Amino acid sequence: MSTIRLTAAQAMVRWLSVQMTEEGERFIEGVWAIFGHGNVAGLGEALHGIGEALPTWRGQNEQSMAHTAIAYAKAMKRRRVHAITSSIGPGATNMVTAAALAHVNRLPVLLIPGDVFANRRPDPVLQQIEDFEDGSMSVNDCFRPVSKYFDRIVRPEQLLTALPRAMRTLTDPASCGPVTLAFCQDVQAEAYDYPESFFEPTTWYIRRPEPDQREVARVVEMIRKAQNPVLICGGGVIYSEAEEALAQFATKHGIPVVETQAGKSALPQAHPMNFGAAGVDGSAAANQVCEAADLVLGVGTRFQDFTTGSWALFRNPSRSLVSINIQSYDAHKHGAASLVGDAKSSLERISSALGEYRSASFDPKSRTEWLARVDAHCAAPEVDGGNVLPTDAQVIGAVQRVSTERTIAMCAAGTMPGALKLLWQPAQGGYHMEYGYSCMGYELAGAMGIKLALPDREVVCFVGDGSYMMMNSELATAAMRRIPFTVVLTDNRGYGCINRLQIACGGEEFNNMYKDCNVEEQPEIDFVAHASAMGVHAVKAKGISDLEAQIIAARGRDRPSVIVIDTDAVPGPGEGGGGFWWDVAVPEVGTSDRLNAARTEYVRNRDFQKLVN
């Protein structure tokens, strides 16, 4: 057996560079890196040596680099990914939040934090966390609960098994998620005689598991007996590339489709079977069919509480639950009748077995009425500019009116995710939301990741001033790399979303809006100047019509554009026809009448919860 002598770091990057997709592209497109003493001498040397065979990019923060990578993987439907390497200590722990985000959303990302010395000779090294009871522990053990696969590389030859295991997880449609390979810094530099065959190009296929025919037959029988079935479309539909199969299934069998945050835009909003978002931030049309449904068919969804109205949405006393999911953990939730299999294959098998069956309950009236209310709610204000601040819905309407079939709206946290889920009317594939972890700070880095994955699409990033302040530095990276996308920065002078929730739960306005915080002086943050200083084009919109014009103008630039617009933080009369209860625990004992009333309403809604099928 012929061998080649390489350091462990050189072996890792060489092996990663030849892991290929079915289309003949690198599965790991490249590596985001911030170097420190835990990875600069080993992985830094190796990445420099391999050059463009596995390109390296520099970001500004380890967490935001990982957000970019996660958004890229999501936009690529999990078919290609990025890796991120950091030093030990804070560089590593900065990535833990991103790992949790990827874990919740079932998205692949490869994290390679540097680790302590395996030989322990210089212990304790700079930034090393010492566990007084366990000598094998390092700060990277924080990644264990937020990784789908975790390994610590303490010998160079361990790469022979660790790397294939990592790729198995990254490419497995059922167990897909973040992989952490904690790489001891001394081991990175150690040499080993690796088999040359280990570096032969390998093609990885995304499996499409067929469902069990017994489970198919059971689901078919349940559909035939149902009077009011509804189908909940989750992100698994998109990752399975089952969009057309879903459209054909819903149309042929007359079953209305409602959406989760991850599943939105699998069907374009214009599709007649698309009743919009379900649940807490759901449409009146979607929630109406969900409340009446006697059969709830979840496809590729994990049934998050926003989708299910904290399990109080499905109020038909005779309702049954079916979960079609490639991951058996999700398929068996809440006592559902499970069908474990790929979404596309499962829908096709069920449809074939149903034959010409068509539900008799389909009624398009509520959908039509809801869309009319959305248009009215998002219409341009009669008074545009001056002292009259626009609502979030009017901002969304402005972007919607100038959007095209190529526009992707994206967001992550705050008021906009719920408003966009309810009000944005995308073409197919025109929506990208990180809401599984609802992570403030994902937005700007995520927009860059989407644009890297889909360079021919227009990416519009909605971000509030709170999220912008939390993490904005990758704007500088996007400017340096000439990655164009458009940021709509809505400034309501604080954490407006949580302030509204605080009020709705009977609380007093406290520590969310700047005006209610313990500060000596109210801030006057110049977001235009701040964004401009990072090399992007920034402007403040004078009103809704100016916002529309600025969105159009941004399309001709080769760098990010930030459009700042002041918005109204006061709760409005509704978001265009929708909404549902959300289980946010209200204090059982309080002194204010508003708090007591909120508790009474909380208990009333909690009685509707049905936690098992």
Side-chain angles (χ1 to χ4, degrees):
M1 179 180 68
S2 57
T3 61
I4 180 170
R5 191 162 182 81
L6 299 169
T7 69
Q10 293 164 356
M12 174 182 279
V13 300
R14 181 167 177 172
W15 190 88
L16 292 175
S17 73
V18 294
Q19 306 312 299
M20 314 302 290
T21 69
E22 298 176 52
E23 294 73 28
E25 300 172 308
R26 281 191 311 272
F27 182 76
I28 307 287
E29 188 199 11
V31 182
W32 291 93
I34 293 179
F35 293 127
H37 71 90
N39 66 343
V40 65
L43 275 168
E45 186 277 337
L47 287 166
H48 175 265
I50 202 166
E52 289 304 304
L54 187 68
T56 301
W57 312 297
R58 182 194 180 281
Q60 314 303 322
N61 179 283
E62 292 86 357
Q63 181 184 144
S64 55
M65 291 193 308
H67 287 334
T68 298
I70 293 164
Y72 174 88
K74 182 179 176 73
M76 294 296 289
K77 299 183 179 181
R78 309 195 301 194
R79 263 56 181 178
R80 296 186 76 190
V81 306
H82 290 168
I84 308 96
T85 180
S86 75
S87 180
I88 69 169
T93 52
N94 277 350
M95 296 194 294
V96 173
T97 294
L101 184 152
H103 192 292
V104 168
N105 290 284
R106 317 313 202 235
L107 291 170
V109 63
L110 177 58
L111 307 172
I112 314 171
D115 212 322
V116 297
F117 275 67
N119 63 31
R120 305 187 186 180
R121 295 168 78 175
D123 283 6
V125 298
L126 180 65
Q127 299 178 329
Q128 180 174 351
I129 299 293
E130 295 180 279
D131 189 295
F132 299 165
E133 309 296 333
D134 185 348
S136 67
M137 191 79 70
S138 87
V139 72
N140 285 330
D141 287 277
C142 294
F143 285 98
R144 290 183 183 273
V146 292
S147 299
K148 286 295 186 73
Y149 178 75
F150 176 91
D151 206 344
R152 177 174 283 112
I153 310 303
V154 299
R155 293 287 304 159
E157 60 268 33
Q158 289 176 346
L159 292 178
L160 295 169
T161 53
L163 288 173
R165 289 173 182 172
M167 280 295 297
R168 176 201 63 80
T169 301
L170 293 170
T171 60
D172 189 317
S175 62
C176 183
V179 169
T180 300
L181 298 179
F183 208 170
C184 290
Q185 55 187 293
D186 54 335
V187 178
Q188 293 178 34
E190 291 179 13
Y192 182 77
D193 293 320
Y194 291 93
E196 284 192 344
S197 59
F198 185 59
F199 303 104
E200 289 294 321
T202 301
T203 299
W204 293 82
Y205 300 93
I206 308 298
R207 294 191 302 278
R208 194 178 288 281
E210 290 286 330
D212 187 292
Q213 289 306 303
R214 294 166 296 183
E215 293 187 340
V216 170
R218 177 175 60 173
V219 172
V220 168
E221 182 181 2
M222 294 174 73
I223 294 174
R224 288 188 181 279
K225 291 180 178 179
Q227 298 298 312
N228 297 293
V230 64
L231 193 151
I232 298 181
C233 168
V237 172
I238 295 173
Y239 301 143
S240 172
E241 299 184 321
E243 295 94 335
E244 294 307 315
L246 173 66
Q248 293 171 11
F249 183 94
T251 303
K252 178 180 178 181
H253 302 299
I255 300 178
V257 174
V258 302
E259 305 166 308
T260 71
Q261 281 282 21
K264 187 174 175 70
S265 80
L267 289 186
Q269 189 60 74
H271 194 284
M273 301 306 295
N274 187 347
F275 277 58
V280 175
D281 42 9
S283 75
N287 286 345
Q288 181 177 322
V289 296
C290 286
E291 286 189 71
D294 59 352
L295 181 64
V296 178
L297 290 156
V299 183
T301 175
R302 61 194 186 92
F303 290 113
Q304 186 215 33
D305 63 342
F306 258 62
T307 299
T308 65
S310 299
W311 290 101
L313 176 59
F314 311 119
R315 295 190 174 182
N316 189 321
S318 62
R319 69 98 167 148
S320 296
L321 182 66
V322 170
S323 183
I324 302 168
N325 205 293
I326 201 166
Q327 173 54 258
S328 62
Y329 178 88
D330 292 313
H332 287 85
K333 282 180 177 173
H334 289 268
S338 63
L339 193 159
V340 179
D342 170 75
K344 183 174 185 291
S345 296
S346 298
L347 287 171
E348 290 172 347
R349 301 302 172 265
I350 295 170
S351 183
S352 178
L354 283 171
E356 297 306 310
Y357 162 87
R358 183 173 176 83
S359 171
S361 66
F362 173 68
D363 181 1
K365 182 180 178 181
S366 63
R367 176 182 181 274
T368 303
E369 292 174 346
W370 159 62
L371 287 173
R373 292 174 67 185
V374 168
D375 289 340
H377 199 62
C378 295
E382 294 183 6
V383 178
D384 188 12
N387 295 323
V388 180
L389 295 178
T391 65
D392 293 314
Q394 290 167 339
V395 169
I396 292 171
V399 181
Q400 184 81 69
R401 286 188 290 275
V402 296
S403 67
T404 72
E405 293 287 306
R406 309 303 295 168
T407 302
I408 299 174
M410 70 83 61
C411 190
T415 300
M416 276 298 179
L420 285 165
K421 182 185 172 189
L422 176 62
L423 302 174
W424 184 255
Q425 300 179 49
Q428 189 175 65
Y431 189 79
H432 179 117
M433 186 67 62
E434 189 295 294
Y435 207 61
Y437 209 49
S438 185
C439 186
M440 296 177 69
Y442 173 90
E443 295 92 341
L444 301 176
M448 180 166 66
I450 300 168
K451 189 65 177 181
L452 287 169
L454 304 170
D456 62 332
R457 300 293 295 269
E458 176 189 40
V459 179
V460 178
C461 167
F462 291 84
V463 63
D465 57 303
S467 274
Y468 179 91
M469 290 295 289
M470 195 164 286
M471 188 166 291
N472 53 57
S473 57
E474 296 307 340
L475 274 177
T477 304
M480 288 185 278
R481 292 188 58 187
R482 294 292 190 265
I483 303 170
F485 53 87
T486 301
V487 178
V488 177
L489 197 169
T490 55
D491 183 6
N492 62 16
R493 296 151 301 284
Y495 298 141
C497 174
I498 295 301
N499 189 63
R500 297 176 190 183
L501 179 61
Q502 192 172 48
I503 295 169
C505 292
E508 300 298 326
E509 295 184 77
F510 172 63
N511 204 53
N512 286 310
M513 309 307 293
Y514 286 122
K515 67 181 180 61
D516 304 313
C517 293
N518 187 7
V519 297
E520 270 56 57
E521 182 177 345
Q522 286 296 305
E524 294 293 337
I525 301 169
D526 189 338
F527 291 108
V528 172
H530 184 273
S532 297
M534 288 189 282
V536 308
H537 182 278
V539 65
K540 188 159 188 174
K542 302 179 182 67
I544 291 298
S545 59
D546 189 32
L547 173 61
E548 294 180 23
Q550 296 294 344
I551 292 284
I552 294 170
R555 290 174 181 152
R557 301 191 183 105
D558 65 349
R559 67 183 63 205
S561 298
V562 173
I563 307 168
V564 182
I565 184 165
D566 291 333
T567 56
D568 192 351
V570 178
E575 292 292 353
F580 199 79
W581 178 70
W582 184 32
D583 192 343
V584 178
V586 175
E588 192 169 355
V589 178
T591 56
S592 75
D593 291 340
R594 186 169 65 183
L595 181 63
N596 292 331
R599 175 68 189 187
T600 300
E601 181 67 8
Y602 172 75
V603 172
R604 186 187 73 81
N605 280 292
R606 193 175 61 179
D607 289 341
F608 288 108
Q609 288 179 312
K610 185 178 180 183
L611 302 183
V612 294
N613 200 21

